[in-house]
């Protein structure tokens, strides 16, 4: 995923957490807020409570980023989003991981 699609500024991150809408399922937690840009920006969070090994957390993060990269053109809503990956998603097969991620993204379509 291109760097311009990353939500990195601390004030933007805080704004999404404080004022953003939320959706949650068994595997993911998402916060989002509309932005005035011509693109959506994303942040992916995998807490250490999911797994103490960085390699495992990075794999989950990369899987989520890859799904967003492949599906980013399908969205015409410009939002800042924070996707937090829960421990329950650790043992999901890749296709089920993507399916559950798609479900929570559909909840943020408005």
């Amino acid at each position: 995923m291109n760097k311009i699609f990353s939500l990195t500024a601390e004030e933007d991150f805080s704004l999404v957490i404080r004022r953003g809408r939320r959706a949650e399922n068994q595997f993911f937690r998402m916060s989002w807020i509309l932005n005035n840009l011509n693109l959506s920006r994303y942040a992916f969070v995998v807490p250490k409570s999911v797994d103490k090994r960085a390699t495992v957390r990075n794999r989950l993060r990369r899987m989520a980023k890859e799904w967003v990269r492949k599906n980013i053109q399908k969205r015409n809503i410009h939002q800042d989003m924070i996707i937090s990956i829960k421990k329950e998603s650790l043992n999901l097969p890749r296709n089920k991981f993507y399916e559950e991620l798609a479900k929570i993204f559909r909840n943020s379509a408005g």
Side-chain angles (χ1 to χ4, degrees):
M1 186 167 35
N2 197 327
K3 191 85 168 158
I4 64 169
F5 298 111
S6 296
L7 182 64
T8 56
E10 187 176 334
E11 58 271 5
D12 293 336
F13 203 90
S14 296
L15 182 67
V16 174
I17 295 296
R18 279 194 331 269
R19 295 196 180 152
R21 297 181 61 196
R22 292 176 181 81
E24 187 171 353
N25 66 17
Q26 182 180 355
F27 307 104
F28 302 99
R29 182 177 299 122
M30 180 185 290
S31 297
W32 71 93
I33 192 167
L34 295 175
N35 67 30
N36 294 327
L37 306 172
N38 289 329
L39 56 94
S40 291
R41 298 181 299 177
Y42 304 90
F44 300 89
V45 178
V46 186
K48 273 191 175 178
S49 61
V50 170
D51 196 291
K52 67 179 180 177
R53 297 167 294 183
T55 54
V56 173
R57 296 192 311 271
N58 288 339
R59 180 180 52 84
L60 292 171
R61 189 176 296 113
R62 283 193 309 271
M63 285 172 50
K65 280 184 177 184
E66 179 66 12
W67 184 89
V68 168
R69 185 188 66 80
K70 287 182 177 179
N71 294 282
I72 201 168
Q73 292 84 13
K74 297 177 185 176
R75 297 177 58 88
N76 58 0
I77 301 168
H78 305 298
Q79 302 170 323
D80 290 340
M81 303 182 124
I82 300 172
I83 298 100
S84 181
I85 301 172
K86 294 182 178 181
K87 186 173 188 148
E88 290 78 8
S89 65
L90 188 60
N91 295 318
L92 285 177
R94 186 177 299 265
N95 59 348
K96 181 71 172 166
F97 182 91
Y98 291 152
E99 184 181 305
E100 293 297 327
L101 190 56
K103 284 181 188 177
I104 199 159
F105 262 81
R106 280 192 294 272
N107 289 342
S108 72

